[in-house]
Amino acid sequence: MLSIAERHKYILERLEKYGFIRITDVAEELGVTKVTIRKDVKILESKGLLYKVHGSARLANPHIADRDLMTKSSLNCEAKQRIAKCAAQMIEEGDSIMISAGSTTYALAEAIHALTPAPTINVVTPFIKVSALLNEVESIQVQQLGGTVYKKSFATRGEGACESLGDMVCSKFFLGVDGFDPEFGITTSTIEEMVLSRKMMAASAKTIVLADSSKFGQHGFGRIASIDEVDVIITDSDISPEMVEIIEEAGIELITV
């Protein structure tokens, strides 16, 4: 049986490699009880070497603060563009789609704008920058959701935005998130955005999450939904094997680019 020091070394090496571990998995791999690994994780957390969140542990603090669009847009740009191009290829002629606010979803709007020939579709969005960009395309009909404009995201939110959804029904909802956590689900940084995202999910036949690999194992303040309510995830190839396994176990279609 491994010593305490050997177990701690194993845990930290796994975290260094994947950025995320599940206590159940480590217990099975080492042939010890989950109680033992929980104690190990607690000791390592007390030394500031990891963060424990329910049944898992992470190297970095998983809590995400609300950031403005310009800051988000400067992060992981190439991965977001690849994700966006892949998502744009999922759009079919005659589709009615919803697009949430966010840097990756704006990259999606740019990818749609560049499609040749341009599709004939309806787009519903709270994101003013997306509305302005896609309104330039003759074959795209844009429905801008009303409400109060949030300065950090250039998007509407609140009761007005939710009420603007009315009786709309769309085939696909392209959702950008601030975090994807097996325990907490898909999250965003503000309650107002969480409420609107839930409404948009309910009004769509399929929810497609667009998230670069840095979002996995993170979580924001507002819980949009559990992970099993997601139909498709598009991310980049840097996602960890452990997170891939969790997503596939949940029955979610995973596309890496």
Side-chain angles (χ1 to χ4, degrees):
M1 181 177 291
L2 294 178
S3 67
I4 293 175
E6 288 171 325
R7 290 199 308 270
H8 289 187
K9 181 174 182 290
Y10 182 86
I11 290 168
L12 293 174
E13 285 177 347
R14 295 280 288 176
L15 279 173
E16 187 66 35
K17 185 175 181 180
Y18 299 115
F20 167 88
I21 60 167
R22 288 189 294 186
I23 287 173
T24 300
D25 292 340
V26 174
E28 291 177 356
E29 290 161 8
L30 298 183
V32 298
T33 66
K34 289 186 286 186
V35 172
T36 297
I37 300 302
R38 286 195 192 99
K39 289 179 179 177
D40 290 336
V41 167
K42 187 174 181 180
I43 292 169
L44 292 170
E45 183 180 40
S46 70
K47 295 179 180 179
L49 297 173
L50 55 75
Y51 286 86
K52 182 180 179 295
V53 183
H54 287 299
S56 62
R58 296 148 174 80
L59 271 181
N61 190 337
H63 298 275
I64 299 295
D66 190 18
R67 295 177 291 189
D68 61 59
L69 182 63
M70 185 173 296
T71 300
K72 290 181 179 181
S73 298
S74 66
L75 303 172
N76 305 310
C77 299
E78 291 185 9
K80 290 175 181 177
Q81 289 171 0
R82 295 198 305 272
I83 291 166
K85 288 178 181 178
C86 177
Q89 295 303 315
M90 299 179 69
I91 296 170
E92 301 172 292
E93 183 72 11
D95 257 347
S96 292
I97 66 172
M98 293 190 180
I99 301 177
S100 74
S103 55
T104 311
T105 51
Y106 186 70
L108 169 61
E110 292 178 315
I112 295 171
H113 189 277
L115 289 174
T116 305
T120 300
I121 59 175
N122 295 310
V123 175
V124 180
T125 184
F127 198 0
I128 295 171
K129 290 189 69 176
V130 164
S131 293
L133 179 63
L134 295 184
N135 191 59
E136 296 174 0
V137 182
E138 185 64 30
S139 62
I140 297 178
Q141 179 65 46
V142 178
Q143 177 68 45
Q144 170 67 52
L145 297 181
T148 303
V149 177
Y150 183 49
K151 295 185 184 299
K152 284 189 175 183
S153 65
F154 296 96
T156 56
R157 64 185 195 178
E159 290 185 13
C162 292
E163 290 173 359
S164 296
L165 285 169
D167 296 320
M168 296 178 193
V169 178
C170 290
S171 53
K172 302 177 182 78
F173 175 31
F174 294 96
L175 172 61
V177 299
D178 287 324
F180 181 101
D181 185 282
E183 302 291 336
F184 292 97
I186 52 173
T187 56
T188 187
S189 299
T190 68
I191 294 299
E192 294 86 353
E193 190 172 351
M194 173 269 287
V195 171
L196 180 58
S197 293
R198 281 186 182 177
K199 295 281 188 181
M200 294 173 79
M201 282 185 71
S204 303
K206 179 180 288 188
T207 296
I208 302 166
V209 169
L210 310 183
D212 67 79
S213 57
S214 70
K215 303 292 179 63
F216 293 92
Q218 307 293 314
H219 57 80
F221 181 58
R223 182 177 182 271
I224 299 169
S226 61
I227 64 172
D228 59 8
E229 294 178 70
V230 174
D231 298 291
V232 182
I233 295 172
I234 306 177
T235 188
D236 60 84
S237 56
D238 287 335
I239 184 173
S240 73
E242 289 201 1
M243 193 60 72
V244 169
E245 183 181 345
I246 290 169
I247 291 168
E248 290 177 345
E249 286 177 355
I252 303 168
E253 180 183 353
L254 176 64
I255 302 171
T256 56
V257 294

